[in-house]
Amino acid sequence: MNELQLEILDIIREIKRHLIYQRELGAFVYGMDTIEETLDRQERIEKMERISKARMVQNDAKSTPAVMSLFERIEKGVETVKEDRKIFSEKNKEDKQKLISELKKEIGEDCKRCNLGNLGRQKVVFGEGNIDCRIMFVGEGPGEDEDIEGLPFVGRAGQLLTKIIKAMGLERTDVYIANVVKCRPPENRTPLPDEMDICGKFLKRQISIINPEVIIALGGTAVSFLLGDYKIKISQVRSRRLEYRDGDLLIPMVATFHPSYVLRRGESPDVKKEVWSDIKIALDIIGMEVKR
Ligand code: URA
């Protein structure tokens, strides 16, 4: 087993320990069976490797038929583990899809938990995209077009966001997009703290289900909500790696200017350059390269 495989194994063991702890605290834990199966299989492979090494010493020859067949079996085992990982991530995807659908259903189509449900909004904009994404964008709240279509970032700001995503070498279907509040504030005003507190709980659950590798917060409202401090200004926190924390969950985060701000600034090359440098920080964090 190479160093990377050993490291992955350690991570899986750590996840198992964490899940056991969560289960002891009474949390609903999913995926444990697959983790246990994967670890069992890995442990069998490790044992086989140890035996094979011992035999190599005994035989003092790597190429005796017995040892060779053992190596072949180990290889096969590694292949099966790779296959298991694929199944694990597929299964994980199924779980995510189920949880996301349940969350959407729980919110409903006429949510009135906060006042935004009573202020003339048409549609609850849940969010959309690839639940298995590496990158999740979080905006402030739906505008007029989003309110009509029920989808995030489909108006002018959304078109600019789509351009940014394409410049990253991705499609909208590769990422996940959501907002702090799911209903349009009247006159596109900034959501109030109590509206963000109430609705933002759903965003937090959405983030924990999606569990992206990096979050890109669009604008001051999104980043201040995600950092849990409504006084934060975008200029204080952009252009560096941040962390989104929710309980045990820790996801790297980068904040950049909201696309609407970029539009308001007439798409000034300076602002666009700053946005692009933030995006590159996010891509760097996940080791994604863009030829540009
Ligand atoms: N602005 C946002 O913050 N979110 C949207 O979905 C659209 C515009």
Side-chain angles (χ1 to χ4, degrees):
M1 230 176 286
N2 64 32
E3 262 181 42
L4 179 66
Q5 287 169 321
L6 287 170
E7 218 171 287
I8 292 171
L9 243 174
D10 278 340
I11 293 169
I12 297 175
R13 285 199 183 102
E14 196 52 48
I15 293 172
K16 185 180 169 186
R17 270 195 289 278
H18 171 74
L19 290 182
I20 289 171
Y21 176 61
Q22 290 296 321
R23 204 164 52 184
E24 281 168 356
L25 290 179
F28 168 64
V29 162
Y30 64 92
M32 182 68 102
D33 290 351
T34 320
I35 284 185
E36 273 170 352
E37 273 166 35
T38 308
L39 282 177
D40 280 355
R41 203 181 292 274
Q42 286 282 22
E43 264 146 24
R44 281 204 302 277
I45 291 167
E46 274 180 317
K47 201 168 158 196
M48 281 163 80
E49 279 188 335
R50 277 197 301 275
I51 295 169
S52 90
K53 273 189 195 134
R55 284 204 187 157
M56 269 168 62
V57 174
Q58 265 178 17
N59 295 338
D60 200 23
K62 199 170 161 180
S63 55
T64 62
V67 176
M68 281 303 285
S69 72
L70 199 55
F71 270 109
E72 275 165 21
R73 273 155 53 204
I74 290 168
E75 267 308 301
K76 275 215 179 86
V78 170
E79 278 310 311
T80 332
V81 170
K82 273 194 210 146
E83 196 52 32
D84 272 0
R85 290 218 181 92
K86 215 172 96 210
I87 294 165
F88 177 71
S89 81
E90 283 301 313
K91 214 170 156 189
N92 196 247
K93 200 168 164 184
E94 271 174 37
D95 287 338
K96 280 182 172 186
Q97 190 53 64
K98 189 166 161 269
L99 291 168
I100 278 288
S101 305
E102 282 168 5
L103 183 65
K104 190 169 180 188
K105 211 162 140 204
E106 184 182 330
I107 297 170
E109 290 176 6
D110 191 22
C111 175
K112 296 205 188 302
R113 291 173 182 87
C114 85
N115 212 21
L116 289 177
N118 302 311
L119 297 176
R121 67 104 173 90
Q122 297 188 42
K123 289 204 173 131
V124 173
V125 180
F126 178 74
E128 68 161 2
N130 184 349
I131 49 157
D132 226 17
C133 64
R134 304 184 70 192
I135 304 169
M136 178 167 176
F137 287 92
V138 176
E140 179 175 313
E144 190 178 3
D145 296 299
E146 291 76 21
D147 185 45
I148 293 167
E149 292 204 30
L151 296 170
F153 282 97
V154 288
R156 276 191 70 218
Q159 283 157 23
L160 180 54
L161 177 61
T162 306
K163 274 196 211 163
I164 295 171
I165 294 168
K166 281 190 187 291
M168 295 161 82
L170 299 168
E171 298 295 328
R172 271 178 76 112
T173 47
D174 292 318
V175 301
Y176 197 90
I177 309 173
N179 285 303
V180 176
V181 294
K182 301 199 183 304
C183 292
R184 181 194 181 198
E187 312 297 327
N188 294 344
R189 66 156 166 76
T190 306
L192 303 173
D194 68 316
E195 293 160 352
M196 292 195 267
D197 289 343
I198 295 169
C199 191
K201 289 203 179 87
F202 290 113
L203 172 70
K204 287 185 171 181
R205 284 170 61 190
Q206 213 164 357
I207 293 173
S208 79
I209 297 168
I210 306 261
N211 195 12
E213 289 173 42
V214 68
I215 295 172
I216 302 181
L218 300 168
T221 306
V223 72
S224 58
F225 171 78
L226 293 169
L227 290 175
D229 179 351
Y230 292 140
K231 288 198 276 303
I232 284 172
K233 300 267 173 293
I234 182 75
S235 52
Q236 297 172 298
V237 288
R238 59 162 291 276
S239 83
R240 62 188 161 96
R241 180 190 169 122
L242 307 166
E243 277 173 0
Y244 166 76
R245 282 173 188 270
D246 181 26
D248 283 343
L249 186 67
L250 191 159
I251 301 173
M253 176 165 72
V254 173
T256 193
F257 295 118
H258 193 287
S260 300
Y261 172 78
V262 183
L263 291 173
R264 281 202 301 280
R265 292 283 307 270
E267 297 195 51
S268 122
D270 287 349
V271 182
K272 279 164 79 174
K273 219 189 258 171
E274 286 180 304
V275 170
W276 187 241
S277 92
D278 296 333
I279 297 289
K280 284 214 301 221
I281 296 170
L283 293 176
D284 260 4
I285 290 172
I286 59 168
M288 195 185 267
E289 267 181 45
V290 176
K291 287 162 203 75
R292 196 182 135 129

